[in-house]
Amino acid sequence: MTGSIIHNNGTAAQLDQVYKTYKMGTQEVKALSGVSISFQKGSFWAILGPSGSGKSTLLNLLGCLDRPTSGRYILNGHDVSTLNDDQLSEMRLKHLGFIFQSFNLIPQSTVEENIQLPLYYQGWDPDASREKAHELARMVGLESRLRHRPMELSGGQQQRVAIARALANDPAILLADEPTGNLDTHTSVEIMNLLQQLNEQGKTIIMVTHERDIAAYAKSRMFMRDGLIERIEGSE
Ligand code: ADP
């Protein structure tokens, strides 16, 4: 087991006085200046704020892609604040799903293979992982596209594949970075409806966006400024 276990019940992720400082030669840039917040299981958060306010830094920390300079991060009951790179990557594989603006699918692989990828890394039996990929493809409405490659799909369909892949390891949190940034308005609405549906089924979602109408799909909104949470809107 990675990280010490902390009993948490309803909390998917918790940040306590998290600071992140980047060193640029002799200069220090404070990206996060003491962020404390709990993300409850089943919540759906949008993180908003001007450019440079710390949104990406926060998402990178929540995604175990980086470590805080100081402070504590508890993910799904594990203290991950001080883990090494290998341990962080294990946490990502076991507890997190990622959705990106640019989908990040493997172009040479089929829909089925793309969805199976996290299961492959976890050593799943090929038959079981194929079956799981089919179930996930059905969930996102792509069961008839399993043999297609990403290039043969629309942007919205590619994002659906990415969402299915992000769900494959049954993550504690789905992290989305501008998930509709490359999609037209109609397709954005479809993708946000899908994320809302997944949240209604119990998935915890944290999404960075700069669009107010996209943030409106979340149940809670966090506004960041100068590396701090300026204000919170909505309910969990
Ligand atoms: P946002 O996503 O809200 O635009 P970021 O988290 O990317 O904000 O950046 C917060 C601050 O940290 C900015 O001042 C940015 O220049 C700085 N920053 C972010 N990443 C790095 C990095 N890798 N090295 C140095 N400074 C960084």
Side-chain angles (χ1 to χ4, degrees), residues 51-123:
S51 177
S53 59
K55 303 182 297 294
S56 312
T57 303
L58 184 62
L59 202 70
N60 283 345
L61 290 180
L62 290 170
C64 291
L65 294 159
D66 206 348
R67 274 173 290 266
T69 308
S70 68
R72 205 162 71 136
Y73 174 25
I74 314 292
L75 169 58
N76 208 19
H78 304 267
D79 188 344
V80 298
S81 325
T82 56
L83 299 185
N84 66 31
D85 289 350
D86 286 346
Q87 292 168 322
L88 284 180
S89 113
E90 195 186 328
M91 290 304 295
R92 288 198 296 275
L93 203 55
K94 281 194 180 158
H95 300 279
L96 298 167
F98 293 89
I99 306 165
F100 304 97
Q101 177 172 355
S102 50
F103 323 131
N104 291 12
L105 299 175
I106 298 177
Q108 308 88 323
S109 299
T110 61
V111 166
E112 184 183 63
E113 290 160 351
N114 268 287
I115 298 174
Q116 277 179 285
L117 200 66
L119 304 175
Y120 169 80
Y121 284 128
Q122 291 208 50

Side-chain angles (χ1 to χ4, degrees), residues 178-193:
E178 302 275 6
T180 60
N182 278 355
L183 303 174
D184 60 49
T185 308
H186 175 74
T187 314
S188 298
V189 169
E190 282 181 5
I191 291 297
M192 291 316 298
N193 283 335

Side-chain angles (χ1 to χ4, degrees), residues 158-178:
Q158 290 187 53
Q159 195 59 302
R160 284 171 187 274
V161 177
I163 292 170
R165 179 184 60 184
L167 291 170
N169 60 352
D170 194 21
I173 308 178
L174 264 185
L175 294 170
D177 191 359
E178 302 275 6

Side-chain angles (χ1 to χ4, degrees), residues 22-24 29-32 49-58 208:
Y22 293 107
K23 287 208 169 65
M24 304 272 291
V29 180
K30 270 198 180 160
L32 294 178
S51 177
S53 59
K55 303 182 297 294
S56 312
T57 303
L58 184 62
V208 164

